[in-house]
Amino acid sequence: LTDPGTVEDSNWMKQYLSAEEIVEVQRRVHDKEAGGSYNTDAVKFCKKCDIYRPPRAMHCKQCQKCVHRMDHHCPWVQNCVGAANTKFFVLFLTYGTITCVYYTFLVTHTIMYAFEGQTRKKKAEAAAWIALLLGSAIIVFMLTFMLGGLAGWNIYLITKNQTALENYDLDIGAQKNRRGYGKPSPKKGKTQHRFDRGAYKNVQSVMGLNPLLWLLPVGNPTSELSRGVVG
């Protein structure tokens, strides 16, 4: 239910750009040759919201609004994952994974010692509960890999200061050398991300400046770097 970082209006341009730069940006945005391609790294004009959205912002069709540093729209939480709630989304995945692992461990331990010291009648009664626990453990065990995979993937993206959309664009750019998203890297086949500031600063831009609060669902981690208004 947390606001993902809605782009309310175009006033961000006055704060970060000079009058001349605003005119130039607006000209390029409406120039099909210069700004017409799909690219989250450029300022775009959203016809549905009637605003200029900063780099990294995207329009969500489900939420009907533009979101800073939009990663994706998550059907699990019925909300966008953006600059203002990426931290909480990653913590949700991480703690969900830990909970699933803990539950699986408890069920496994219960099943292993369920029949010790029990009479034949008690064992028969316990068998039904064991079957139920075993079925739930299998489901939770599978869920562990799903949540764990998503958590690991999102943590990796945070260390690179990328969204899922940006990572896709970078892969396409590396393969086909198009969209002008990043800039060539010395390593062959790689594209350098414009907003990459090193792992520590990248994590700070999403999780907050204080490392002691990274694992707590508190604070407002939104930064200029995560919102894309600086590059």
Side-chain angles (χ1 to χ4, degrees), residues 12-133:
W12 65 270
M13 300 177 71
K14 298 178 181 179
Q15 183 177 355
Y16 296 99
L17 301 175
S18 65
E20 293 78 10
E21 289 174 329
I22 292 177
V23 173
E24 177 61 21
V25 166
Q26 292 175 339
R27 184 194 66 78
R28 286 188 299 166
V29 166
H30 295 288
D31 186 339
K32 293 184 180 181
E33 294 183 0
S37 62
Y38 175 81
N39 183 3
T40 60
D41 191 35
V43 176
K44 292 290 184 178
F45 180 76
C46 180
K47 295 181 180 179
K48 295 182 179 180
C49 297
D50 194 30
I51 60 173
Y52 289 93
R53 60 174 183 255
R56 315 193 80 182
M58 294 288 289
H59 182 85
C60 176
K61 295 181 180 179
Q62 288 79 9
C63 295
Q64 293 298 312
K65 60 185 177 182
C66 290
V67 178
H68 287 290
R69 194 188 183 276
M70 179 176 168
D71 188 277
H72 68 288
H73 181 89
C74 179
W76 288 10
V77 297
Q78 283 298 304
N79 196 8
C80 284
V81 177
N85 65 350
T86 297
K87 172 182 178 178
F88 309 127
F89 179 72
V90 172
L91 291 180
F92 162 71
L93 294 176
T94 302
Y95 292 142
T97 302
I98 294 174
T99 302
C100 288
V101 171
Y102 180 63
Y103 177 83
T104 304
F105 172 79
L106 288 181
V107 171
T108 302
H109 183 272
T110 301
I111 293 175
M112 289 176 61
Y113 297 97
F115 299 109
E116 285 191 1
Q118 300 289 342
T119 63
R120 181 177 297 179
K121 182 178 180 180
K122 290 290 185 180
K123 288 181 179 180
E125 292 177 354
W129 288 104
I130 294 302
L132 181 62
L133 286 175

Side-chain angles (χ1 to χ4, degrees), residues 41 170 179-184 191-194:
D41 191 35
L170 288 169
R179 297 184 180 177
Y181 187 83
K183 54 184 179 180
T191 304
Q192 184 177 347
H193 186 41
R194 171 184 169 186

